[in-house]
Amino acid sequence: MQVLSVASEIYPLVKTGGLADVVGALPAALAAKDVATRTIIPGYRAVLAQLKKPQTVHAWKSLFGGEARLLAAKVAGLDLLVLDARHLFDRPGTPYLDEMGHDFPDNWRRFAALSRAAADIAGGAIAGYAPDIVHVHDWQAALTLAYMRYDGLSVPGVITIHNLAFQGQFGSDIFPMLGLPPQAAGIDGVEYYGGVGFLKAGMTAASAITTVSPTYAQEIRTPTFGMGLEGLVNGRVDVLHGIVNGVDTEHWNPAADEHLAASFTAATLARREKNRAALEERFGLSPDGLLVAVISRLTWQKGMDVLAGALDALVGRGVRFCVLGSGEAMIESAFLAAAGRHPGRIGVATGYNEPLSHLMQGGADAIIIPSRFEPCGLTQLYGLRYGCVPIVTRTGGLADTIIDANDAAVAAGVATGIQFSPLAHDTLIDAVARAQALFREPREWARLQKQGMKSDVSWDRSAAQYRALYDHLLAGHPR
Ligand code: ADP
């Protein structure tokens, strides 16, 4: 089976978030299920620089205002198709933002071009290549399915939503420039609240819609989580699926992790103490009490405002914190101020630091993830794998991947973490207090850690679910 994957980022070439991890990891996991994936991504400057001996497999004289070529190349085991369109992608900044941190004003054009190119490939632009399925990710790739629909292609299209908060919403003035037929302007096409909605257009045209956990798939049917799209989601619930992400179990392996002071397994948990000691030194912490890690964007979505407001009370109860993150300025300064008030009890590192994030998972006792919504979440999965007990809100992927240590689950020996709901000052403090109570019983705590380390967080199961979905779609679309 051949799948054409369409995305705006892919690990390890270009990453701004969890989307890149998923798009980069799925092809290898699917290969084990006899699915061959080719991924089309934009030819950002940094991507072009990493290609060795690319082959030109298609060219456009004019694609949204300039010449473009499609380059085929293999990088890090990935079968890539790179859209080399200098007028759209050869510029400084991140994939979406200029050097000042502002959205590029022509983002609609850049990602419409990616989508147009992908639809052309689905329609046979590359000699000898005919994908059985087109799988697009998030709003940046979503218009692919609209182009395919109005081109009259019968190839099934899957759209995966990694975060419904990002919808690709633009003014109606761009519609004439998209190259879609007039009938696409309607509410059944790309129209969304008077403008053009890329994600909406993709969800309308898709044969199947997936999101990255079953609970989030249910939550987005409600106004609170649906962010304006709940009506559309409910109308398409018969094709809606939730498939939890996996993690790269080689890169995240506590038994062989170069970023740890000491590697360990479930059988050698005592070795974690060396990592804890390294963390205490790194963050200037005194050596007693539950050590809770925070590795997160410091944002409202992640509930970091509520956590920042609870730090004084928690330190008063003897809890210590090591914090790694960056984000909203007010929340960042709230964490830094708390660290200033509580030297030895709270340490904060701002910025992005992948090696430190490994040491924290391998040395902290617990990791707290108090998200308001969480489509899947990866940090709780790393926590499970590293014996760093997750304390999480009961939402989205957090609800699906953590088993709360309530009395029944503890008695049955199946608990893997602490869940709480709703997110509030008091519920958060109670949840950490529950973790503290368990932590005071070393045998109970070790059971929790070991049970978490047994959880299957690999991509294998998720890849099998995607394969089953593809099979189902192909059965309904004989070609
Ligand atoms: P989201 O994609 O919504 O930010 P996820 O939990 O899905 O949340 O993924 C976040 C990823 O980014 C994880 O791999 C986490 O370890 C990593 N991460 C977040 N903040 C930092 C940071 N400051 N330094 C290093 N890694 C970070």
Side-chain angles (χ1 to χ4, degrees), residues 15 17-18 21 295-297 301-302 324-326 351-354 357 374 377-379 382:
K15 169 172 170 172
D21 289 328
I295 305 167
S296 181
R297 292 187 284 123
Q301 181 204 329
K302 300 289 180 182
L324 169 61
S326 57
Y352 194 89
N353 189 333
E354 177 93 13
S357 73
E374 194 58 77
L378 293 174
T379 44
Y382 303 142

Side-chain angles (χ1 to χ4, degrees), residues 4-67:
L4 175 66
S5 170
V6 190
S8 57
E9 6 182 320
I10 188 164
Y11 183 86
L13 283 96
V14 51
K15 169 172 170 172
T16 72
L19 164 68
D21 289 328
V22 176
V23 174
L26 252 185
L30 283 170
K33 314 277 175 219
D34 290 324
V35 176
T37 307
R38 293 187 101 172
T39 309
I40 175 169
I41 56 167
Y44 309 115
R45 233 178 231 185
V47 167
L48 291 179
Q50 295 173 71
L51 303 184
K52 293 197 183 78
K53 297 195 194 149
Q55 307 271 321
T56 301
V57 290
H58 188 71
W60 291 263
K61 281 213 176 75
S62 175
L63 183 70
F64 286 87
E67 286 183 10

Side-chain angles (χ1 to χ4, degrees), residues 260-274:
L260 298 182
S263 56
F264 60 93
T265 65
T268 57
L269 274 178
R271 287 172 58 79
R272 290 183 97 260
E273 278 164 31
K274 284 200 178 135

